[in-house]
Amino acid sequence: MATEDHVDQPAADQPEEGVRRRDFLNVAAVSVAGVGGVIAILPLVNQMNPDADVLALASIDVDLSAVEPGQTIKTSWRKQPLFIRHLTEDEIAEARAVDVSALRDPQTLEERTAEGYEQWLISLAVCTHLGCIPLGAAPGENKGEFGGYFCPCHGSHYDTAGRIRKGPAPTNLVVPEYAFTSDTTVTIG
Amino acid sequence: MSFPWAEQYTPKNPFMKWMDERLPIPRLVYNSVGAGYPVPRNLNYFWNFGVLAGLALMIQIVTGIVLAMHYTPEAGMAFASVEHIMRDVNSGWLLRYLHFNGASFFFIVVYIHIFRGLYFGSYKAPREMVWLLGVVILLLMMATAFMGYVLPWGQMSYWAAQVITGLFAAIPLVGESLQQWLLGGFAPDNATLNRFFSLHYLLPFVILGCIILHIWALHLPGSNNPTGIDVKGPQDTIPFHPYYTAKDGFGAGVFLIALAIVVFFAPNFLGHADNYIEANPLSTPAHIVPEWYFWPFYAILRAFTVDFILEAKLWGVIAMFASIIVLFFLPWLDRSPVRSGTFRPKFKIWFWVLVVDIIALAYLGGAPAEEPYVMFSQIATIYYFAHFLIILPLISRTERPLPLPNSITEAVLGKDKTTAQPVAAE
């Protein structure tokens, strides 16, 4: 190409070998454009994260005064169902009697409840297998082989501390962050 | 495509060779915007604006797709969902301001692109199809921009929908039924908003398809150039890559800086404060004007105030649509064989009169509908049509063009090639 030949000839003051001024400018310009392009992608990705009004719903207060021992209430936190279970003495004893080291996801009842409020088992009602709501909250529902919860989708059994005992779920029911603001009210999230 | 001396694509590694035999996309890219597309060596910065328009469309499509993830096309919720984007969605303000101002920047670069084509005769043979497709793209852009403007469901949105669909009501006999069909009701409402959202999402991809045809049609004869004369041989061209990719990259940088300045420092400069008031079917804003890029056409619409055989309203609508339709006939109205305005002394003067005329129409279109603006709109409208329908056909017969250079290379380097060569090597 006649055109190419004379345009591509290095000017007399440029070295034939090594890094030419043009190489430097080329790499610098393409790098700046590349970095800029990547940074421009960040807001396009970030816009899909939970937005401010979703995060504003991230904390709820629940009044527990009407929940009798043996009763479980279902509420909603961050648009996810939540179990709040008032454990009976028997259920607490049962949970404490388990050999923790034999569990799939070893945790004691104390680790899964607030200090001084061991009778309140607060966990997400979301099976850690694939996200169904386990049974066992309402009276008459199947509580599974270990008296806690039973997920009908794929047969995961949870005990009275919400720990996985049998079935495909990999971990215990998730305990959210919460704090008791009085003996009968709890702030979740 | 184009010239026989174009560089040939030769896949270097085995994978590219394998790919080339099965789905030759790298070859297509190489021959379209790579070293395989020879381009006249003398293009000036006005030739950046086609690529910039493509960039603007991509920005609109990308930001539009993510905005659609948060927007709700429902009359009771649309306005609040836009405020939700502005306040709650992560980076939502940035994406919406980019989309909103990106539309204006798209029109800025497209208008410069069109004026470049007008001055340098890019609409003439053998590029008539390129021009016609360009006018189609302009019409699609206008429809898309209008429907997008309705989506936030503010006061200006609502009344834009009312007024623009009202244009169709001017058509005799079927007008009123046509307007109701467009709106899906008797006034803009939920049905209108939903169909406008659907079409606003669809049309950019139709534009993209037309752009592919536009570029395809362009690449058969190759790009025009500031001298308007044909490429005569390899010495008149340079490969698109790296020469024009680098130049377009620079132009894109300047474009993005300008967009960023407006987005970050004056994001509402090009908008109307009234559009931050939710749509109210019972109250029209005091001063109702479209977005700035429709002002010249809006001035033409309002220039007709007297009934003459047909109603004034209908004349206005006909004239407004005709002001764009006339562009379809431009390649056959201007019969001068010389393309570039540089070598056409009379054309050049009238071209600049047209530019001033269109800027004046834009100003008048944004001004209130009262005197003296109406009278000036009428004069400017008369000139607009006279330019295309009378002046261009006449001067293409009477004008005596300046002598054309023998070749692009000669125009760039002068006749003395021995002294000119080292300059080119710099």
Side-chain angles (χ1 to χ4, degrees):
Chain A
M1 299 301 114
T3 322
E4 284 254 277
D5 287 346
H6 72 77
V7 176
D8 270 356
Q9 264 170 15
D13 59 341
Q14 294 207 332
E16 294 279 344
E17 315 236 330
V19 179
R20 291 178 308 155
R21 185 178 137 90
R22 174 166 293 190
D23 294 332
F24 172 78
L25 289 173
N26 196 7
V27 170
V30 172
S31 308
V32 168
V35 171
V38 169
I39 290 172
I41 291 171
L42 294 181
L44 298 172
V45 173
N46 189 33
Q47 54 88 20
M48 284 172 74
N49 276 320
D51 53 40
D53 66 338
V54 168
L55 295 177
L57 299 173
S59 170
I60 56 165
D61 291 321
V62 184
D63 178 10
L64 302 174
S65 53
V67 187
E68 299 292 333
Q71 208 184 350
T72 304
I73 60 165
K74 222 192 259 184
T75 177
S76 167
W77 176 67
R78 288 184 176 176
K79 302 263 168 183
Q80 292 172 291
L82 189 77
F83 287 147
I84 300 179
R85 182 165 183 146
H86 197 163
L87 299 174
T88 61
E89 293 298 328
D90 289 349
E91 286 174 332
I92 293 172
E94 203 180 308
R96 283 183 174 149
V98 174
D99 174 14
V100 172
S101 62
L103 295 177
R104 185 177 297 169
D105 183 8
Q107 267 186 320
T108 62
L109 179 67
E110 280 65 30
E111 286 170 329
R112 295 179 54 74
T113 51
E115 200 180 341
Y117 296 96
E118 282 82 4
Q119 72 274 32
W120 294 108
L121 178 68
I122 301 176
S123 68
L124 289 186
V126 178
C127 179
T128 56
H129 180 222
L130 291 170
C132 297
I133 302 181
L135 301 173
E141 282 184 0
N142 186 353
K143 290 178 191 291
E145 289 177 25
F146 300 89
Y149 301 108
F150 170 68
C151 183
C153 292
H154 307 96
S156 290
H157 299 256
Y158 296 90
D159 67 11
T160 53
R163 295 173 295 201
I164 180 65
R165 299 292 291 273
K166 187 180 170 188
T171 57
N172 301 335
L173 289 180
V174 173
V175 175
E177 214 175 280
Y178 63 88
F180 280 86
T181 48
S182 76
D183 275 359
T184 56
T185 50
V186 62
T187 301
I188 296 161
Chain B
M1 283 190 267
S2 71
F3 306 112
W5 58 87
E7 304 232 1
Q8 289 305 305
Y9 177 70
T10 38
K12 286 184 186 70
N13 66 53
F15 172 73
M16 296 305 271
K17 200 167 168 356
W18 184 89
M19 190 71 181
D20 190 50
E21 284 157 7
R22 286 157 182 83
L23 186 67
I25 285 180
R27 177 181 290 274
L28 180 70
V29 171
Y30 184 90
N31 289 333
S32 311
V33 290
Y37 179 51
V39 187
R41 62 192 295 175
N42 60 336
L43 301 192
N44 60 35
Y45 273 109
F46 283 108
W47 264 261
N48 279 40
F49 286 85
V51 164
L52 292 182
L55 174 66
L57 177 69
M58 291 325 294
I59 292 174
Q60 291 307 92
I61 288 180
V62 169
T63 54
I65 285 171
V66 298
L67 287 172
M69 295 181 187
H70 303 282
Y71 170 76
T72 312
E74 204 274 328
M77 295 160 79
F79 186 82
S81 78
V82 173
E83 285 307 302
H84 162 75
I85 290 169
M86 294 301 290
R87 292 152 195 257
D88 292 341
V89 174
N90 298 297
S91 311
W93 60 273
L94 173 63
L95 298 166
R96 175 166 174 264
Y97 278 151
L98 276 172
H99 195 73
F100 170 72
N101 289 297
S104 278
F105 273 75
F106 195 2
F107 274 99
I108 291 170
V109 295
V110 161
Y111 284 155
I112 295 173
H113 189 62
I114 294 171
F115 278 120
R116 190 269 289 155
L118 283 174
Y119 183 81
F120 293 107
S122 301
Y123 49 87
K124 293 186 182 181
R127 298 183 187 82
E128 300 97 320
M129 270 320 283
V130 185
W131 175 260
L132 298 181
L133 285 162
V135 182
V136 170
I137 292 168
L138 176 64
L139 284 169
L140 288 168
M141 276 177 66
M142 289 175 150
T144 310
F146 157 65
M147 286 189 268
Y149 192 58
V150 174
L151 301 183
W153 211 239
Q155 274 287 64
M156 299 305 269
S157 301
Y158 181 90
W159 292 100
Q162 174 81 307
V163 169
I164 302 298
T165 57
L167 299 178
F168 294 90
I171 298 167
L173 303 176
V174 295
E176 206 167 325
S177 332
L178 185 61
Q179 186 189 9
Q180 286 171 11
W181 177 76
L182 288 169
L183 291 173
F186 303 100
D189 200 359
N190 203 37
T192 320
L193 192 54
N194 268 288
R195 66 191 58 185
F196 279 14
F197 180 57
S198 170
L199 294 171
H200 183 72
Y201 206 115
L202 166 72
L203 288 183
F205 297 97
V206 179
I207 291 175
L208 192 62
C210 287
I211 287 174
I212 290 169
L213 298 180
H214 188 68
I215 295 172
W216 187 6
L218 171 70
H219 282 204
L220 294 178
S223 299
N224 187 24
N225 68 85
T227 65
I229 58 178
D230 288 328
V231 167
K232 300 239 162 58
Q235 72 283 358
D236 286 345
T237 66
I238 46 178
F240 190 87
H241 181 74
Y243 296 101
Y244 287 112
T245 44
K247 190 167 178 171
D248 285 332
F250 174 74
V254 174
F255 171 81
L256 291 173
I257 289 169
L259 177 61
I261 288 171
V262 174
V263 165
F264 291 118
F265 298 105
N268 289 304
F269 176 72
L270 295 165
H272 300 286
D274 273 352
N275 218 26
Y276 286 99
I277 302 169
E278 191 167 2
N280 179 358
L282 300 180
S283 155
T284 309
H287 179 43
I288 181 148
V289 283
E291 293 287 83
W292 70 267
Y293 38 79
F294 292 138
W295 284 352
F297 309 101
Y298 199 59
I300 292 173
L301 171 75
R302 295 193 307 189
F304 291 81
T305 52
V306 184
D307 290 0
F308 173 71
I309 304 173
L310 302 170
E311 287 177 350
K313 180 182 177 183
L314 182 56
W315 278 116
V317 173
I318 291 172
M320 190 183 73
F321 284 105
S323 66
I324 295 175
I325 303 302
V326 73
L327 297 176
F328 281 114
F329 297 95
L330 181 59
W332 298 278
L333 290 169
D334 176 8
R335 302 306 300 242
S336 170
V338 177
R339 291 195 193 99
S340 174
T342 311
F343 304 105
R344 299 183 61 190
K346 284 186 187 166
F347 170 88
K348 198 193 294 190
I349 296 166
W350 293 111
F351 170 82
W352 288 111
V353 175
L354 179 73
V355 172
V356 172
D357 184 65
I358 291 173
I359 292 169
L361 279 171
Y363 173 77
L364 296 163
E370 22 183 88
E371 292 297 348
Y373 304 118
V374 176
M375 189 186 69
F376 286 125
S377 299
Q378 289 165 341
I379 295 167
T381 302
I382 290 169
Y383 180 78
Y384 181 90
F385 286 104
H387 180 91
F388 289 108
L389 298 174
I390 300 168
I391 294 170
L392 279 187
L394 277 184
I395 57 173
S396 52
R397 286 181 196 179
T398 58
E399 181 179 57
R400 189 186 172 89
L402 302 176
L404 296 175
N406 289 320
S407 74
I408 291 171
T409 304
E410 188 194 288
V412 175
L413 303 178
K415 283 181 181 149
D416 188 356
K417 287 197 178 183
T418 49
T419 57
Q421 285 275 359
V423 178
E426 216 164 68

